[in-house]
Each structure stands twice: as structure tokens, then as C-alpha cells.
Amino acid sequence: GIPLQPMQSLQAQGNQGLIIRPCGQGPTLSGRVSYDRTPPLYLQGAICRLRRLGTAQVVAVDTTDSMGNYQFAVPQGGGGDFVLEVSPLSPWGGVNASDALQVARYFGGGITWTPLRIRSGDVNNNFVTNGTDALLISRRLTGLISTFAVADWVIEPAQFTWNGLGSIQLAWVVLCAGDVNGSYQPSNSTSRFG
């Protein structure tokens, strides 16, 4: 990754595609990858792959720098629907009994969450965060299961559309599956600003 220059800044939430309009600086996509906490923790050394939605075609790869920055150069006219895949250096973590309780409280209407927290809590990947997810989180914590139906890391925005004709800056936010309270502090992360 390289230091970023100020450009158009966008942050997306939800599972719908994001339509990005170019700002005319050439075909690059850049931004930061952070863990969803306050203050955010920027992921260092995470491998970022820009993949065309619905295919295995990887159009660009970069590794985040010490501040979580990435930058992809996409060929002119290389627009379309994309998914960002992030492979952090840190293992899955941060999930505890408090997260299972939070999922149950969310399902009961006791708390509200951002779309990313909802996706993080939906560990069985059925598009509903409920008591079944709380049970699965508890089962993984006790070693009765070793994985969830979702990947160990969830990301927002999940997908987006880009025409590939201009530079944009887009921040991606990640959480470990099940870490709905955002308590994890991944190794190789920093909260420094700059």
C-alpha cells in the first residue's frame, strides 16, 4: 500500500450494492481496512483481493500498510460488480459469552445494531440473527464446533459497483464472525491516526 491522497470518501453500510461515481483522477480504488471498534483499529499486513462478483476472477491484489491503507490500480474500462476479500494476519477471535448474550438480546429487540454487526451475528448465514446464532456462538466457544457457516471475517460493504473510470476512496470495515460487541483487538492492528 501507499499513502493516500484526499479524494472522494465513501463509507457503505448494508448488503446492497454500492454505486460509486468517479471523481476523474484515473482508475484506482484506495482506502483503509479497519476493525469495527471505537477508535477503529487499522489492519496491517492484510491481503486485499478485488474480485469480480460471481466469478473467481481477481482483478487486483494489495497488502495493507502499517495504517491499514490499500490501493488497487484497475485497468481502464475494468468496471463492474466487485467483492473485496480481506485476509487479515490475525486469526478469528474476540468472541465470548457476552457476544452470545448480545445476539439473544438483539433478537429479543433489546438492542439495535449496524448492518455489519447484524451480519457478524448471523453465524449460520440464514439472513436472520436470532437465538440459533447465539447457540452456535456458545458451541464454538466450548469447542463443540470449530467453524461457522460464514467466513471467520465479515466485511462491509459486502459488494459494490464501480465503473472503473475514475479514482475513488472506499473504507472497508471488518469484524470477526460472532464478535458483535467488537471486543477483538487483532494482532497487527493500530489505532493511530494519520
Side-chain angles (χ1 to χ4, degrees), residues 17 39 41 55 62-64 78 112 119 123 132 156-157 159 164 168 185:
L41 294 174
T55 73
D62 193 22
T63 302
T64 57
T112 57
R119 287 186 59 226
V123 298
T132 302
E156 281 293 326
Q159 66 187 50
I168 58 151
Q185 181 158 347

Side-chain angles (χ1 to χ4, degrees), residues 26-189:
T28 62
L29 172 64
S30 59
R32 277 187 167 167
V33 179
S34 63
Y35 199 77
D36 190 20
R37 294 178 49 136
T38 303
L41 294 174
Y42 300 105
L43 301 183
Q44 304 171 30
I47 298 170
C48 301
R49 290 175 195 86
L50 188 62
R51 184 176 55 80
R52 289 197 183 276
L53 183 65
T55 73
Q57 180 188 8
V58 175
V59 296
V61 178
D62 193 22
T63 302
T64 57
D65 66 13
S66 64
M67 293 302 298
N69 297 315
Y70 70 89
Q71 182 169 335
F72 299 124
V74 178
Q76 193 75 14
D81 297 322
F82 296 95
V83 173
L84 181 73
E85 297 172 348
V86 176
S87 300
L89 294 176
S90 301
W92 173 83
V95 181
N96 54 45
S98 173
D99 294 296
L101 178 61
Q102 292 281 329
V103 169
R105 286 187 61 217
Y106 170 79
F107 181 62
I111 54 177
T112 57
W113 283 339
T114 65
L116 180 60
R117 302 271 168 143
I118 295 168
R119 287 186 59 226
S120 173
D122 180 21
V123 298
N124 66 357
N125 202 28
N126 70 347
F127 304 103
V128 178
T129 303
N130 59 27
T132 302
D133 298 297
L135 176 63
L136 290 170
I137 290 169
S138 296
R139 292 185 73 200
R140 187 163 179 182
L141 289 172
T142 58
L144 294 174
I145 61 173
S146 59
T147 61
F148 295 131
V150 295
D152 281 346
W153 295 80
V154 294
I155 188 168
E156 281 293 326
Q159 66 187 50
F160 66 100
T161 300
W162 176 32
N163 68 12
L165 300 176
S167 292
I168 58 151
Q169 189 171 3
L170 186 61
W172 267 280
V173 184
V174 299
L175 273 175
C176 282
D179 186 21
V180 296
N181 64 8
S183 63
Y184 191 37
Q185 181 158 347
S187 59
N188 297 325
S189 65

